[in-house]
Amino acid sequence: CPQDWLMFASSCYYFSPQNQRRSWDASRKYCLQNAADLVIINSTQEQVLFIRNSLLRRIFPWVGMTDREEEGKWTWVDGTPVKDERVQWARGQPDGAFGGEDCGELRLLRYFNGLNDLNCSTAIQWICEKML
């Protein structure tokens, strides 16, 4: 993996620094410019890796999922559907609050832990993924 990227299974992951925050689209653009894309979570084991590393870095990052095409139908950036049995949503999520939360983030709080839907223009950190 490149410098500052973490290897897990057959992928490399980039956790953005604490002082860098971007919208979902700007985060995805950063990943694409680095021959990667926003992370796709394929298993609960992979999500645990992100939770552990995100907690160490104290970030709440964007992940590569959205329901912009059809409200309530979550898909990954590669077009595959988000399978609820492979990921863990935070309690009560996704909820589409505030009239439009169409992008996915990983939220890590004591009583609110897992995937969450958030307004895509919110500036937060992100995780990129590229295959080895």
Side-chain angles (χ1 to χ4, degrees), residues 1-2 4-8 10-17 20 22-41 46 49-50 54 57 59 61-64 77 124-131:
C1 293
D4 298 326
W5 290 64
L6 172 71
M7 188 172 92
F8 176 75
S10 59
S11 293
C12 299
Y13 301 94
Y14 175 79
F15 291 77
S16 67
Q20 292 185 21
R22 300 174 185 211
S23 68
W24 190 88
D25 292 304
S27 297
R28 185 167 190 212
K29 182 178 178 183
Y30 175 92
C31 295
L32 292 169
Q33 289 172 338
N34 286 278
D37 208 336
L38 285 171
V39 67
I40 295 173
I41 299 171
E46 192 177 24
L49 169 81
F50 300 133
S54 296
R57 291 170 172 81
I59 67 172
W62 287 123
V63 297
V77 289
I124 62 173
Q125 293 161 284
W126 67 93
I127 303 172
C128 300
E129 176 181 16
K130 68 168 73 180
M131 302 302 269

Side-chain angles (χ1 to χ4, degrees), residues 41-97:
I41 299 171
N42 294 304
S43 68
T44 52
Q45 294 87 354
E46 192 177 24
Q47 186 170 344
V48 168
L49 169 81
F50 300 133
I51 290 170
R52 186 177 71 237
N53 283 286
S54 296
L55 285 171
L56 289 173
R57 291 170 172 81
R58 294 188 209 112
I59 67 172
F60 304 128
W62 287 123
V63 297
M65 59 190 283
T66 182
D67 74 342
R68 282 178 168 166
E69 295 293 318
E70 182 181 335
E71 185 64 30
K73 185 179 176 185
W74 287 89
T75 57
W76 294 109
V77 289
D78 68 357
T80 60
V82 173
K83 296 183 178 171
D84 289 341
E85 67 273 9
R86 292 188 177 179
V87 297
Q88 178 187 345
W89 286 95
R91 186 180 309 142
Q93 300 302 317
D95 63 0

